[in-house]
Amino acid sequence: MAFLSGIILYVVTDRFITNTGLNNLLINVSAGLVSIPLVFIFYDVINKITSQKLHNSLFESVTIEINTQLIELIKELALLTGEKEPVDMDQIEDFLSLEQSDIFKSLKLDKVDIKQLENIKHQLAMEIHKPTSFDILSEKQISAILNIVKEITFLVKNIDQSNLAKKSVKHKKIIALNVEYIFINLTTWIESGKKDAFHNHGRFSLTEK
């Protein structure tokens, strides 16, 4: 409004105000009305550019830390489900597409490292509860990680049951369902974030021996 008012005032003054003193005064006023919004516009544009660079740097930093833990989680879940450890993005996608029935048939409860799962859960919880994470991650991404943390808690609890409980079909089906829910949320994280970033990070980490 100030910018438009300045333009209109300038046009009216230039055409209709013949008094030199008044003309100069109104021209200066119109110049002020035009220049002030321009200063704010330029400031806002520059601020957005610099903020975007910072946002991208923070996003990359946070996602690298989260992806590191998620890749470790995928490795542990591969052991748990008796599947071959995925080494690239295509294999990760195939692995995460396993359904509860497939997971149930191939469960290897004696292969999983509960302490490692607990550590992954702890690291993910620390990352997702940082103030910067809430500022730069989308609601969908935050929800996916929180759900993964929750499901790891249930998974560890169910795996850490007595040997008698572990042998029951019902108990194994519950564990398979926990794993399937983790798979669903891992897929959500990958699809809602920068898939290429996870691919590049995953390619580096998963092939490391």
Side-chain angles (χ1 to χ4, degrees), residues 6-172:
I7 296 295
I8 292 170
L9 181 60
Y10 174 82
V11 172
V12 171
T13 301
D14 186 57
R15 290 189 178 184
F16 302 110
I17 306 298
T18 57
N19 183 280
T20 304
L22 183 59
N23 183 283
N24 290 337
L25 174 63
L26 293 177
I27 290 294
N28 288 333
V29 171
S30 65
L33 289 171
V34 170
S35 62
I36 291 173
L38 285 177
V39 169
F40 279 102
I41 290 170
F42 285 128
Y43 171 80
D44 192 49
V45 170
I46 293 170
N47 187 51
K48 282 184 178 179
I49 292 172
T50 54
S51 295
Q52 187 62 38
K53 288 181 179 179
L54 177 60
H55 178 278
N56 291 340
S57 297
L58 287 172
F59 182 87
E60 183 179 1
S61 175
V62 171
T63 52
I64 283 175
E65 293 301 323
I66 291 176
N67 285 344
T68 298
Q69 297 306 318
L70 294 183
I71 289 167
E72 290 301 316
L73 176 60
I74 289 172
K75 290 178 181 179
E76 288 299 317
L77 294 179
L79 290 173
L80 175 62
T81 56
E83 295 289 328
K84 183 180 178 181
E85 182 183 309
V87 295
D88 57 36
M89 201 62 206
D90 290 335
Q91 290 185 19
I92 288 176
E93 289 177 351
D94 291 339
F95 178 59
L96 296 181
S97 66
L98 291 174
E99 297 181 354
Q100 182 187 4
S101 57
D102 301 316
I103 298 167
F104 170 76
K105 292 175 185 177
S106 58
L107 277 177
K108 301 287 188 293
L109 298 180
D110 58 326
K111 298 290 184 179
V112 70
D113 186 342
I114 291 179
K115 289 184 178 179
Q116 176 67 348
L117 288 176
E118 289 277 15
N119 181 60
I120 292 169
K121 182 188 80 170
H122 175 70
Q123 294 299 326
L124 286 175
M126 285 181 61
E127 286 297 328
I128 203 64
H129 285 102
K130 288 180 179 178
T132 51
S133 298
F134 282 93
D135 290 336
I136 64 176
L137 297 178
S138 69
E139 183 178 338
K140 200 171 184 180
Q141 290 173 310
I142 293 171
S143 178
I145 298 301
L146 289 175
N147 286 334
I148 289 171
V149 170
K150 180 181 70 175
E151 289 303 326
I152 293 175
T153 301
F154 293 150
L155 179 62
V156 169
K157 181 180 177 182
N158 289 326
I159 292 175
D160 200 27
Q161 294 289 327
S162 66
N163 290 329
L164 183 62
K166 287 181 183 179
K167 294 177 182 179
S168 72
V169 172
K170 181 179 179 181
H171 187 71
K172 283 189 174 182

